[in-house]
mmCIF file of all heavy atoms in Angstrom:
data_model
loop_
_atom_site.group_PDB
_atom_site.id
_atom_site.type_symbol
_atom_site.label_atom_id
_atom_site.label_comp_id
_atom_site.label_asym_id
_atom_site.label_seq_id
_atom_site.Cartn_x
_atom_site.Cartn_y
_atom_site.Cartn_z
ATOM 1 N N GLN A 182 30.380 16.329 45.611
ATOM 2 C CA GLN A 182 29.934 17.647 45.166
ATOM 3 C C GLN A 182 29.864 18.629 46.326
ATOM 4 O O GLN A 182 30.195 19.811 46.179
ATOM 5 C CB GLN A 182 28.570 17.528 44.474
ATOM 6 C CG GLN A 182 28.621 16.788 43.150
ATOM 7 C CD GLN A 182 27.242 16.529 42.556
ATOM 8 O OE1 GLN A 182 26.231 16.590 43.268
ATOM 9 N NE2 GLN A 182 27.186 16.251 41.264
ATOM 10 N N SER A 183 29.435 18.137 47.486
ATOM 11 C CA SER A 183 29.371 18.984 48.673
ATOM 12 C C SER A 183 30.768 19.421 49.103
ATOM 13 O O SER A 183 30.990 20.592 49.447
ATOM 14 C CB SER A 183 28.691 18.226 49.817
ATOM 15 O OG SER A 183 28.698 18.984 51.008
ATOM 16 N N GLU A 184 31.722 18.491 49.057
ATOM 17 C CA GLU A 184 33.105 18.825 49.410
ATOM 18 C C GLU A 184 33.684 19.834 48.426
ATOM 19 O O GLU A 184 34.374 20.778 48.817
ATOM 20 C CB GLU A 184 33.940 17.537 49.399
ATOM 21 C CG GLU A 184 35.412 17.743 49.708
ATOM 22 C CD GLU A 184 35.670 18.069 51.158
ATOM 23 O OE1 GLU A 184 34.700 18.129 51.941
ATOM 24 O OE2 GLU A 184 36.834 18.269 51.519
ATOM 25 N N THR A 185 33.387 19.653 47.141
ATOM 26 C CA THR A 185 33.859 20.593 46.123
ATOM 27 C C THR A 185 33.297 21.984 46.372
ATOM 28 O O THR A 185 34.014 22.986 46.277
ATOM 29 C CB THR A 185 33.437 20.116 44.723
ATOM 30 O OG1 THR A 185 33.972 18.806 44.479
ATOM 31 C CG2 THR A 185 33.950 21.062 43.645
ATOM 32 N N ALA A 186 32.015 22.049 46.709
ATOM 33 C CA ALA A 186 31.375 23.338 46.982
ATOM 34 C C ALA A 186 32.006 24.027 48.186
ATOM 35 O O ALA A 186 32.189 25.251 48.193
ATOM 36 C CB ALA A 186 29.878 23.140 47.208
ATOM 37 N N LYS A 187 32.364 23.245 49.207
ATOM 38 C CA LYS A 187 32.993 23.823 50.394
ATOM 39 C C LYS A 187 34.356 24.417 50.055
ATOM 40 O O LYS A 187 34.716 25.501 50.523
ATOM 41 C CB LYS A 187 33.154 22.753 51.475
ATOM 42 C CG LYS A 187 31.843 22.328 52.117
ATOM 43 C CD LYS A 187 32.065 21.233 53.146
ATOM 44 C CE LYS A 187 30.755 20.775 53.759
ATOM 45 N NZ LYS A 187 30.949 19.676 54.741
ATOM 46 N N PHE A 188 35.128 23.695 49.248
ATOM 47 C CA PHE A 188 36.432 24.193 48.840
ATOM 48 C C PHE A 188 36.281 25.460 47.998
ATOM 49 O O PHE A 188 37.042 26.412 48.144
ATOM 50 C CB PHE A 188 37.187 23.127 48.050
ATOM 51 C CG PHE A 188 37.976 22.181 48.916
ATOM 52 C CD1 PHE A 188 37.762 20.812 48.859
ATOM 53 C CD2 PHE A 188 38.947 22.655 49.779
ATOM 54 C CE1 PHE A 188 38.499 19.940 49.648
ATOM 55 C CE2 PHE A 188 39.682 21.802 50.566
ATOM 56 C CZ PHE A 188 39.459 20.430 50.510
ATOM 57 N N GLN A 189 35.303 25.456 47.101
ATOM 58 C CA GLN A 189 35.080 26.628 46.255
ATOM 59 C C GLN A 189 34.712 27.840 47.098
ATOM 60 O O GLN A 189 35.180 28.953 46.852
ATOM 61 C CB GLN A 189 33.979 26.340 45.231
ATOM 62 C CG GLN A 189 34.402 25.385 44.134
ATOM 63 C CD GLN A 189 33.282 25.088 43.165
ATOM 64 O OE1 GLN A 189 32.126 25.415 43.428
ATOM 65 N NE2 GLN A 189 33.592 24.467 42.054
ATOM 66 N N GLU A 190 33.867 27.610 48.087
ATOM 67 C CA GLU A 190 33.456 28.703 48.971
ATOM 68 C C GLU A 190 34.651 29.259 49.731
ATOM 69 O O GLU A 190 34.816 30.479 49.866
ATOM 70 C CB GLU A 190 32.394 28.207 49.950
ATOM 71 C CG GLU A 190 31.841 29.297 50.854
ATOM 72 C CD GLU A 190 30.750 28.787 51.783
ATOM 73 O OE1 GLU A 190 30.382 27.600 51.673
ATOM 74 O OE2 GLU A 190 30.275 29.574 52.619
ATOM 75 N N ALA A 191 35.510 28.362 50.228
ATOM 76 C CA ALA A 191 36.699 28.799 50.952
ATOM 77 C C ALA A 191 37.661 29.538 50.019
ATOM 78 O O ALA A 191 38.296 30.521 50.415
ATOM 79 C CB ALA A 191 37.401 27.594 51.578
ATOM 80 N N LEU A 192 37.760 29.071 48.774
ATOM 81 C CA LEU A 192 38.626 29.718 47.792
ATOM 82 C C LEU A 192 38.133 31.127 47.475
ATOM 83 O O LEU A 192 38.920 32.087 47.470
ATOM 84 C CB LEU A 192 38.660 28.873 46.514
ATOM 85 C CG LEU A 192 39.433 29.434 45.321
ATOM 86 C CD1 LEU A 192 40.897 29.644 45.686
ATOM 87 C CD2 LEU A 192 39.311 28.503 44.125
ATOM 88 N N LEU A 193 36.840 31.244 47.215
ATOM 89 C CA LEU A 193 36.256 32.550 46.939
ATOM 90 C C LEU A 193 36.478 33.507 48.113
ATOM 91 O O LEU A 193 36.859 34.664 47.935
ATOM 92 C CB LEU A 193 34.758 32.411 46.672
ATOM 93 C CG LEU A 193 34.342 31.769 45.350
ATOM 94 C CD1 LEU A 193 32.855 31.450 45.368
ATOM 95 C CD2 LEU A 193 34.645 32.681 44.187
ATOM 96 N N ASP A 194 36.253 32.992 49.307
ATOM 97 C CA ASP A 194 36.390 33.820 50.504
ATOM 98 C C ASP A 194 37.824 34.313 50.676
ATOM 99 O O ASP A 194 38.047 35.491 50.969
ATOM 100 C CB ASP A 194 35.955 33.012 51.731
ATOM 101 C CG ASP A 194 35.966 33.837 52.994
ATOM 102 O OD1 ASP A 194 35.104 34.716 53.131
ATOM 103 O OD2 ASP A 194 36.841 33.610 53.855
ATOM 104 N N SER A 195 38.793 33.427 50.488
ATOM 105 C CA SER A 195 40.191 33.816 50.686
ATOM 106 C C SER A 195 40.639 34.863 49.678
ATOM 107 O O SER A 195 41.325 35.830 50.027
ATOM 108 C CB SER A 195 41.103 32.580 50.607
ATOM 109 O OG SER A 195 41.142 32.054 49.285
ATOM 110 N N ILE A 196 40.224 34.700 48.416
ATOM 111 C CA ILE A 196 40.627 35.653 47.381
ATOM 112 C C ILE A 196 39.935 36.995 47.561
ATOM 113 O O ILE A 196 40.563 38.057 47.462
ATOM 114 C CB ILE A 196 40.342 35.082 45.984
ATOM 115 C CG1 ILE A 196 41.245 33.870 45.714
ATOM 116 C CG2 ILE A 196 40.562 36.137 44.904
ATOM 117 C CD1 ILE A 196 40.980 33.194 44.403
ATOM 118 N N GLN A 197 38.651 36.965 47.843
ATOM 119 C CA GLN A 197 37.912 38.209 48.005
ATOM 120 C C GLN A 197 38.404 39.007 49.210
ATOM 121 O O GLN A 197 38.529 40.233 49.138
ATOM 122 C CB GLN A 197 36.418 37.909 48.126
ATOM 123 C CG GLN A 197 35.807 37.454 46.810
ATOM 124 C CD GLN A 197 34.357 37.022 46.934
ATOM 125 O OE1 GLN A 197 33.896 36.679 48.017
ATOM 126 N NE2 GLN A 197 33.640 37.032 45.824
ATOM 127 N N HIS A 198 38.715 38.313 50.307
ATOM 128 C CA HIS A 198 39.233 39.004 51.479
ATOM 129 C C HIS A 198 40.615 39.598 51.204
ATOM 130 O O HIS A 198 40.900 40.728 51.610
ATOM 131 C CB HIS A 198 39.305 38.046 52.676
ATOM 132 C CG HIS A 198 38.028 37.940 53.437
ATOM 133 N ND1 HIS A 198 36.961 37.196 52.992
ATOM 134 C CD2 HIS A 198 37.627 38.493 54.613
ATOM 135 C CE1 HIS A 198 35.967 37.283 53.858
ATOM 136 N NE2 HIS A 198 36.338 38.063 54.845
ATOM 137 N N PHE A 199 41.442 38.833 50.502
ATOM 138 C CA PHE A 199 42.778 39.354 50.200
ATOM 139 C C PHE A 199 42.699 40.568 49.288
ATOM 140 O O PHE A 199 43.359 41.586 49.531
ATOM 141 C CB PHE A 199 43.642 38.280 49.537
ATOM 142 C CG PHE A 199 44.935 38.829 49.000
ATOM 143 C CD1 PHE A 199 45.980 39.156 49.839
ATOM 144 C CD2 PHE A 199 45.086 39.067 47.632
ATOM 145 C CE1 PHE A 199 47.162 39.702 49.347
ATOM 146 C CE2 PHE A 199 46.254 39.611 47.139
ATOM 147 C CZ PHE A 199 47.298 39.927 47.996
ATOM 148 N N LEU A 200 41.892 40.477 48.234
ATOM 149 C CA LEU A 200 41.806 41.587 47.286
ATOM 150 C C LEU A 200 41.192 42.841 47.923
ATOM 151 O O LEU A 200 41.576 43.965 47.582
ATOM 152 C CB LEU A 200 40.992 41.166 46.061
ATOM 153 C CG LEU A 200 41.669 40.174 45.121
ATOM 154 C CD1 LEU A 200 40.746 39.803 43.970
ATOM 155 C CD2 LEU A 200 42.973 40.738 44.578
ATOM 156 N N ALA A 201 40.259 42.635 48.837
ATOM 157 C CA ALA A 201 39.656 43.785 49.517
ATOM 158 C C ALA A 201 40.723 44.545 50.308
ATOM 159 O O ALA A 201 40.760 45.780 50.308
ATOM 160 C CB ALA A 201 38.540 43.327 50.438
ATOM 161 N N SER A 202 41.607 43.790 50.969
ATOM 162 C CA SER A 202 42.692 44.418 51.727
ATOM 163 C C SER A 202 43.761 44.981 50.795
ATOM 164 O O SER A 202 44.234 46.114 50.975
ATOM 165 C CB SER A 202 43.315 43.389 52.678
ATOM 166 O OG SER A 202 44.425 43.921 53.358
ATOM 167 N N TYR A 203 44.120 44.210 49.799
ATOM 168 C CA TYR A 203 45.160 44.612 48.834
ATOM 169 C C TYR A 203 44.788 45.901 48.114
ATOM 170 O O TYR A 203 45.633 46.786 47.897
ATOM 171 C CB TYR A 203 45.337 43.463 47.837
ATOM 172 C CG TYR A 203 46.302 43.730 46.701
ATOM 173 C CD1 TYR A 203 47.671 43.541 46.867
ATOM 174 C CD2 TYR A 203 45.844 44.128 45.447
ATOM 175 C CE1 TYR A 203 48.559 43.762 45.830
ATOM 176 C CE2 TYR A 203 46.709 44.348 44.400
ATOM 177 C CZ TYR A 203 48.075 44.154 44.592
ATOM 178 O OH TYR A 203 48.954 44.373 43.547
ATOM 179 N N ASN A 204 43.520 46.029 47.771
ATOM 180 C CA ASN A 204 43.084 47.158 46.949
ATOM 181 C C ASN A 204 42.850 48.447 47.742
ATOM 182 O O ASN A 204 42.607 49.499 47.157
ATOM 183 C CB ASN A 204 41.822 46.793 46.173
ATOM 184 C CG ASN A 204 41.692 47.573 44.884
ATOM 185 O OD1 ASN A 204 42.681 47.757 44.174
ATOM 186 N ND2 ASN A 204 40.495 48.039 44.574
ATOM 187 N N LYS A 205 42.947 48.379 49.064
ATOM 188 C CA LYS A 205 42.817 49.593 49.866
ATOM 189 C C LYS A 205 43.922 50.591 49.524
ATOM 190 O O LYS A 205 43.707 51.799 49.514
ATOM 191 C CB LYS A 205 42.871 49.247 51.345
ATOM 192 C CG LYS A 205 41.604 48.585 51.873
ATOM 193 C CD LYS A 205 41.720 48.272 53.351
ATOM 194 C CE LYS A 205 40.454 47.603 53.867
ATOM 195 N NZ LYS A 205 40.561 47.267 55.316
ATOM 196 N N ASP A 206 45.113 50.052 49.243
ATOM 197 C CA ASP A 206 46.244 50.914 48.886
ATOM 198 C C ASP A 206 46.361 51.098 47.383
ATOM 199 O O ASP A 206 46.746 52.166 46.902
ATOM 200 C CB ASP A 206 47.552 50.323 49.432
ATOM 201 C CG ASP A 206 47.580 50.317 50.947
ATOM 202 O OD1 ASP A 206 46.970 51.222 51.555
ATOM 203 O OD2 ASP A 206 48.199 49.405 51.520
ATOM 204 N N LYS A 207 46.025 50.069 46.638
ATOM 205 C CA LYS A 207 46.246 50.120 45.188
ATOM 206 C C LYS A 207 45.220 50.988 44.462
ATOM 207 O O LYS A 207 45.516 51.578 43.429
ATOM 208 C CB LYS A 207 46.218 48.698 44.607
ATOM 209 C CG LYS A 207 47.287 47.791 45.177
ATOM 210 C CD LYS A 207 48.679 48.324 44.933
ATOM 211 C CE LYS A 207 49.747 47.396 45.477
ATOM 212 N NZ LYS A 207 51.114 47.947 45.270
ATOM 213 N N LYS A 208 44.011 51.055 44.984
ATOM 214 C CA LYS A 208 42.968 51.913 44.418
ATOM 215 C C LYS A 208 42.574 51.561 42.982
ATOM 216 O O LYS A 208 42.298 52.434 42.171
ATOM 217 C CB LYS A 208 43.394 53.394 44.460
ATOM 218 C CG LYS A 208 43.898 53.864 45.811
ATOM 219 C CD LYS A 208 42.802 53.805 46.856
ATOM 220 C CE LYS A 208 43.314 54.367 48.186
ATOM 221 N NZ LYS A 208 42.305 54.252 49.262
ATOM 222 N N TYR A 209 42.553 50.261 42.654
ATOM 223 C CA TYR A 209 42.117 49.862 41.313
ATOM 224 C C TYR A 209 40.599 49.973 41.198
ATOM 225 O O TYR A 209 39.859 49.655 42.131
ATOM 226 C CB TYR A 209 42.532 48.426 41.011
ATOM 227 C CG TYR A 209 44.006 48.242 40.809
ATOM 228 C CD1 TYR A 209 44.767 47.538 41.745
ATOM 229 C CD2 TYR A 209 44.642 48.765 39.685
ATOM 230 C CE1 TYR A 209 46.132 47.368 41.556
ATOM 231 C CE2 TYR A 209 46.002 48.596 39.500
ATOM 232 C CZ TYR A 209 46.739 47.903 40.439
ATOM 233 O OH TYR A 209 48.086 47.749 40.259
ATOM 234 N N ALA A 210 40.141 50.421 40.046
ATOM 235 C CA ALA A 210 38.703 50.445 39.787
ATOM 236 C C ALA A 210 38.202 49.033 39.509
ATOM 237 O O ALA A 210 37.117 48.657 39.944
ATOM 238 C CB ALA A 210 38.394 51.346 38.598
ATOM 239 N N PHE A 211 39.008 48.253 38.764
ATOM 240 C CA PHE A 211 38.659 46.870 38.465
ATOM 241 C C PHE A 211 39.916 46.008 38.506
ATOM 242 O O PHE A 211 40.981 46.430 38.082
ATOM 243 C CB PHE A 211 38.015 46.743 37.074
ATOM 244 C CG PHE A 211 36.712 47.466 36.934
ATOM 245 C CD1 PHE A 211 36.660 48.724 36.381
ATOM 246 C CD2 PHE A 211 35.529 46.876 37.363
ATOM 247 C CE1 PHE A 211 35.468 49.404 36.252
ATOM 248 C CE2 PHE A 211 34.327 47.547 37.232
ATOM 249 C CZ PHE A 211 34.290 48.811 36.679
ATOM 250 N N ILE A 212 39.743 44.804 38.998
ATOM 251 C CA ILE A 212 40.783 43.780 38.897
ATOM 252 C C ILE A 212 40.156 42.644 38.108
ATOM 253 O O ILE A 212 39.216 41.990 38.562
ATOM 254 C CB ILE A 212 41.253 43.292 40.275
ATOM 255 C CG1 ILE A 212 41.853 44.456 41.063
ATOM 256 C CG2 ILE A 212 42.298 42.186 40.106
ATOM 257 C CD1 ILE A 212 42.301 44.076 42.466
ATOM 258 N N LEU A 213 40.660 42.437 36.915
ATOM 259 C CA LEU A 213 40.072 41.466 35.994
ATOM 260 C C LEU A 213 40.833 40.149 36.012
ATOM 261 O O LEU A 213 41.927 40.049 36.558
ATOM 262 C CB LEU A 213 40.078 42.039 34.573
ATOM 263 C CG LEU A 213 39.444 43.428 34.397
ATOM 264 C CD1 LEU A 213 39.604 43.890 32.952
ATOM 265 C CD2 LEU A 213 37.984 43.411 34.799
ATOM 266 N N THR A 214 40.237 39.151 35.391
ATOM 267 C CA THR A 214 40.898 37.860 35.244
ATOM 268 C C THR A 214 41.340 37.661 33.802
ATOM 269 O O THR A 214 40.680 38.128 32.872
ATOM 270 C CB THR A 214 39.953 36.705 35.626
ATOM 271 O OG1 THR A 214 38.801 36.748 34.773
ATOM 272 C CG2 THR A 214 39.511 36.820 37.070
ATOM 273 N N LYS A 215 42.443 36.977 33.640
ATOM 274 C CA LYS A 215 42.951 36.675 32.298
ATOM 275 C C LYS A 215 43.251 35.187 32.237
ATOM 276 O O LYS A 215 43.960 34.643 33.078
ATOM 277 C CB LYS A 215 44.215 37.470 31.996
ATOM 278 C CG LYS A 215 44.776 37.266 30.574
ATOM 279 C CD LYS A 215 45.940 38.211 30.316
ATOM 280 C CE LYS A 215 46.482 38.051 28.895
ATOM 281 N NZ LYS A 215 47.121 36.739 28.690
ATOM 282 N N GLN A 216 42.668 34.543 31.233
ATOM 283 C CA GLN A 216 42.836 33.106 31.053
ATOM 284 C C GLN A 216 42.807 32.791 29.570
ATOM 285 O O GLN A 216 42.060 33.426 28.809
ATOM 286 C CB GLN A 216 41.718 32.349 31.777
ATOM 287 C CG GLN A 216 41.869 30.829 31.753
ATOM 288 C CD GLN A 216 40.725 30.142 32.473
ATOM 289 O OE1 GLN A 216 39.604 30.634 32.492
ATOM 290 N NE2 GLN A 216 41.000 28.998 33.070
ATOM 291 N N LEU A 217 43.607 31.827 29.167
ATOM 292 C CA LEU A 217 43.654 31.444 27.760
ATOM 293 C C LEU A 217 42.263 31.036 27.288
ATOM 294 O O LEU A 217 41.593 30.212 27.899
ATOM 295 C CB LEU A 217 44.625 30.276 27.559
ATOM 296 C CG LEU A 217 44.831 29.809 26.114
ATOM 297 C CD1 LEU A 217 45.463 30.922 25.283
ATOM 298 C CD2 LEU A 217 45.717 28.562 26.080
ATOM 299 N N GLY A 218 41.822 31.661 26.193
ATOM 300 C CA GLY A 218 40.527 31.313 25.632
ATOM 301 C C GLY A 218 39.392 32.191 26.101
ATOM 302 O O GLY A 218 38.255 32.014 25.654
ATOM 303 N N ASP A 219 39.672 33.154 26.996
ATOM 304 C CA ASP A 219 38.592 34.021 27.450
ATOM 305 C C ASP A 219 38.454 35.240 26.535
ATOM 306 O O ASP A 219 39.068 35.314 25.473
ATOM 307 C CB ASP A 219 38.793 34.433 28.910
ATOM 308 C CG ASP A 219 40.071 35.251 29.122
ATOM 309 O OD1 ASP A 219 40.624 35.758 28.130
ATOM 310 O OD2 ASP A 219 40.502 35.378 30.282
ATOM 311 N N ASN A 220 37.662 36.206 26.937
ATOM 312 C CA ASN A 220 37.393 37.369 26.090
ATOM 313 C C ASN A 220 38.502 38.412 26.106
ATOM 314 O O ASN A 220 38.502 39.324 25.269
ATOM 315 C CB ASN A 220 36.076 38.037 26.523
ATOM 316 C CG ASN A 220 34.878 37.153 26.251
ATOM 317 O OD1 ASN A 220 34.874 36.388 25.292
ATOM 318 N ND2 ASN A 220 33.866 37.237 27.097
ATOM 319 N N LEU A 221 39.421 38.286 27.047
ATOM 320 C CA LEU A 221 40.515 39.237 27.133
ATOM 321 C C LEU A 221 41.655 38.733 26.241
ATOM 322 O O LEU A 221 42.446 37.894 26.632
ATOM 323 C CB LEU A 221 40.995 39.370 28.584
ATOM 324 C CG LEU A 221 42.037 40.441 28.883
ATOM 325 C CD1 LEU A 221 41.525 41.822 28.481
ATOM 326 C CD2 LEU A 221 42.393 40.430 30.367
ATOM 327 N N LEU A 222 41.732 39.257 25.030
ATOM 328 C CA LEU A 222 42.686 38.757 24.042
ATOM 329 C C LEU A 222 44.081 39.325 24.232
ATOM 330 O O LEU A 222 45.069 38.695 23.840
ATOM 331 C CB LEU A 222 42.185 39.094 22.627
ATOM 332 C CG LEU A 222 40.824 38.480 22.251
ATOM 333 C CD1 LEU A 222 40.437 38.900 20.840
ATOM 334 C CD2 LEU A 222 40.880 36.965 22.352
ATOM 335 N N TYR A 223 44.183 40.517 24.806
ATOM 336 C CA TYR A 223 45.495 41.125 25.015
ATOM 337 C C TYR A 223 45.469 41.982 26.272
ATOM 338 O O TYR A 223 44.472 42.641 26.567
ATOM 339 C CB TYR A 223 45.895 42.000 23.821
ATOM 340 C CG TYR A 223 47.170 42.788 24.078
ATOM 341 C CD1 TYR A 223 48.415 42.181 23.977
ATOM 342 C CD2 TYR A 223 47.091 44.122 24.465
ATOM 343 C CE1 TYR A 223 49.574 42.896 24.247
ATOM 344 C CE2 TYR A 223 48.251 44.845 24.732
ATOM 345 C CZ TYR A 223 49.487 44.220 24.617
ATOM 346 O OH TYR A 223 50.635 44.925 24.894
ATOM 347 N N ALA A 224 46.565 41.958 27.015
ATOM 348 C CA ALA A 224 46.700 42.798 28.210
ATOM 349 C C ALA A 224 48.167 43.170 28.368
ATOM 350 O O ALA A 224 49.047 42.316 28.285
ATOM 351 C CB ALA A 224 46.195 42.064 29.445
ATOM 352 N N ASP A 225 48.422 44.453 28.595
ATOM 353 C CA ASP A 225 49.777 44.943 28.813
ATOM 354 C C ASP A 225 50.312 44.392 30.137
ATOM 355 O O ASP A 225 49.617 44.406 31.159
ATOM 356 C CB ASP A 225 49.754 46.474 28.860
ATOM 357 C CG ASP A 225 51.157 47.075 28.796
ATOM 358 O OD1 ASP A 225 52.069 46.533 29.460
ATOM 359 O OD2 ASP A 225 51.321 48.088 28.101
#
């Protein structure tokens, strides 16, 4: 469980850092997630 938590923390950190840099130019108000079975039923 400790190893899983470490990987999750590293995963969160890598994505958040990338999106922070990526969004400096893109200027999105929100970047959402889409996954089968979630609340987002349709996305263009």
Side-chain angles (χ1 to χ4, degrees):
Q182 292 173 341
S183 176
E184 178 72 0
T185 302
K187 289 178 182 178
F188 273 123
Q189 288 178 348
E190 184 178 356
L192 176 60
L193 288 168
D194 184 71
S195 68
I196 293 177
Q197 289 174 338
H198 275 77
F199 170 75
L200 289 178
S202 176
Y203 176 84
N204 207 42
K205 286 180 180 179
D206 294 329
K207 299 301 181 182
K208 310 296 184 184
Y209 289 111
F211 297 97
I212 299 178
L213 307 177
T214 60
K215 183 174 182 293
Q216 185 181 31
L217 183 64
D219 63 16
N220 293 328
L221 187 58
L222 299 179
Y223 173 79
D225 192 318

